[in-house]
C-alpha cells in the first residue's frame, strides 16, 4: 500500500467511524473499558508534555504548531495558558469538534484552527508538536513528515509514536487476529533509533523523553531541540 492510500484512508476514517470513536475516547463521557484505558494513557501523554512546557516558564506568547491536533486535547489547555496556537488536522470533523470545545470554554481566535494535511503546513513556530499521529503511517512516510515538521520548528519539535518493540509486535498480531467492532485503522510502529536519526539529520538533538504504557495504549514521546 502506498502513502497516498494510507492518507486517504486515515482522512476518511477520522471523518467517519474514527471520529465517533476518538471523540468519545478524547472526551469525558461513558466509554468501554478498553477505551477508558486508552483515554487514561493518552491523557498521561498530554499531561507529561504540559508539565514539560510549563516547567520552562515561557508559555505566554510562545508560538506552537499542533500538527494533527485532533479534538484539541493539547491545544486547548496550551491556549488557556497564553501560548499562541496554530492547530490543524486532516479531518474536518475533528477540527469541527476542537473548535466547538474551544468556543465552549470561551476561547475565540486562539487556537487558530485549520483543516490541513500536516505535510502542507508552512510558516515558522517556536515549537512544533505532533502527538499520536505517526502511528497511522509507515516509517518511510513518517520520515518525510518529520522532516517537514522540523523545517517549521525554530527551536523545538515534540513527537510521539508507538515504539517498535517485541511485546508490542506480538500484541498487534493478536489484535489483528481478533478484529472487533471497534476495529481501528492499521497501526504502524516505529523504531526509536530511526526517529532519532531523522531528527538528528534535521539538526535536532533529543532533550526529554517519556514513555506512556497502559494495557492498550503505548506512546513514546521525544522532545528534540536545535
Ligand atoms: N494529536 C491529537 C490527536 C491524535 S489522533 C492528540 O494527541 O490529542 C490522530 C489525529 O491525527 C487525528 O485527528 C487525525 O485526523 C490526524 N491526522 C492523521 N493524519 C494526518 C495528517 N497527515 N495531517 C494532519 N493530521 C493528521
Amino acid at each position: 500500500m502506498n502513502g497516498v492510500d494510507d492518507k486517504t484512508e486515515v482522512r476518511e476514517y477520522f471523518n467517519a467511524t474514527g471520529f465517533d470513536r476518538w471523540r468519545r475516547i478524547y472526551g469525558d463521557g461513558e466509554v468501554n473499558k478498553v477505551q477508558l484505558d486508552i483515554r487514561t494513557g493518552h491523557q498521561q501523554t498530554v499531561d507529561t508534555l504540559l508539565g514539560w512546557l510549563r516547567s520552562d516558564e515561557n508559555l505566554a506568547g510562545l508560538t506552537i504548531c499542533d500538527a494533527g491536533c485532533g479534538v484539541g486535547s493539547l491545544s486547548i489547555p496550551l491556549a488557556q495558558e497564553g501560548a499562541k496556537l496554530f492547530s490543524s488536522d486532516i479531518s474536518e470533523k475533528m477540527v469541527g469538534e476542537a473548535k466547538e470545545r474551544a468556543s465552549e470554554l470561551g476561547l475565540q481566535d486562539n487556537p487558530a484552527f485549520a483543516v490541513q494535511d500536516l505535510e502542507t503546513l508552512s510558516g515558522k513556530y517556536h515549537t512544533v508538536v505532533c502527538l499520536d499521529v505517526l502511528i497511522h503511517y509507515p516509517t518511510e512516510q513518517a520520515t518525510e513528515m518529520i522532516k517537514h515538521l522540523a523545517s517549521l520548528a525554530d527551536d523545538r519539535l515534540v513527537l510521539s509514536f508507538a515504539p517498535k518493540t517485541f511485546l508490542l509486535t506480538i500484541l498487534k498480531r493478536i489484535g489483528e487476529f481478533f478484529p472487533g467492532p471497534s476495529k481501528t485503522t492499521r497501526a504502524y510502529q516505529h523504531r526509536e533509533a530511526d526517529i532519532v536519526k531523522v531528527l538528528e539529520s534535521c539538526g535536532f538533538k533529543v532533550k526529554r523523553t517519556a514513555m506512556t504504557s497502559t494495557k492498550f495504549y503505548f506512546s513514546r514521546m521525544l522532545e528534540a531541540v536545535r
Side-chain angles (χ1 to χ4, degrees):
M1 166 168 277
N2 69 33
V4 174
D5 288 338
D6 272 310
K7 197 171 283 183
T8 305
E9 195 180 289
V10 169
R11 185 195 301 111
E12 285 171 358
Y13 172 72
F14 280 103
N15 274 326
T17 53
F19 172 65
D20 293 324
R21 172 176 159 84
W22 290 98
R23 173 185 49 172
R24 271 187 279 120
I25 291 176
Y26 296 152
D28 51 18
E30 206 169 303
V31 286
N32 69 36
K33 275 193 185 153
V34 173
Q35 293 171 334
L36 183 62
D37 176 90
I38 297 171
R39 176 190 285 171
T40 307
H42 172 261
Q43 191 57 47
Q44 231 168 286
T45 297
V46 169
D47 288 343
T48 300
L49 180 52
L50 285 174
W52 286 352
L53 299 185
R54 282 182 189 128
S55 72
D56 291 343
E57 296 182 349
N58 63 350
L59 261 184
L62 202 76
T63 56
I64 302 180
C65 170
D66 185 6
C69 64
V71 298
S73 312
L74 175 76
S75 287
I76 291 174
L78 285 175
Q80 284 176 316
E81 300 207 19
K84 279 191 59 145
L85 267 292
F86 179 70
S87 311
S88 57
D89 196 284
I90 200 170
S91 156
E92 60 177 299
K93 295 279 255 188
M94 296 296 266
V95 171
E97 176 76 13
K99 275 186 183 165
E100 253 175 54
R101 291 187 186 193
S103 77
E104 271 166 24
L105 293 166
L107 296 171
Q108 278 171 357
D109 307 323
N110 184 34
F113 287 107
V115 179
Q116 214 173 325
D117 173 357
L118 65 85
E119 285 181 294
T120 68
L121 295 176
S122 58
K124 288 282 183 190
Y125 304 86
H126 175 282
T127 296
V128 175
V129 181
C130 186
L131 291 191
D132 294 359
V133 176
L134 300 174
I135 189 169
H136 299 293
Y137 299 95
T139 298
E140 215 174 282
Q141 203 177 350
T143 299
E144 292 312 307
M145 290 175 155
I146 295 169
K147 284 184 185 163
H148 182 63
L149 293 173
S151 76
L152 312 174
D154 279 333
D155 281 66
R156 171 166 58 192
L157 177 56
V158 181
L159 301 170
S160 74
F161 56 95
K164 191 160 198 162
T165 61
F166 178 69
L167 179 65
L168 273 188
T169 305
I170 298 290
L171 283 175
K172 188 168 171 284
R173 293 257 164 82
I174 296 170
E176 280 165 4
F177 263 104
F178 302 104
S182 59
K183 191 173 168 295
T184 178
T185 53
R186 79 198 59 230
Y188 296 97
Q189 297 160 259
H190 304 294
R191 270 180 236 284
E192 181 164 345
D194 292 340
I195 304 278
V196 170
K197 207 160 78 185
V198 185
L199 289 168
E200 286 176 351
S201 77
C202 299
F204 286 83
K205 57 180 184 305
V206 175
K207 186 175 155 199
R208 289 178 278 203
T209 66
M211 178 70 212
T212 306
S213 327
T214 61
K215 278 206 190 90
F216 300 101
Y217 174 92
F218 303 89
S219 189
R220 177 76 171 150
M221 181 162 61
L222 307 179
E223 176 198 48
V225 295
R226 282 201 193 271

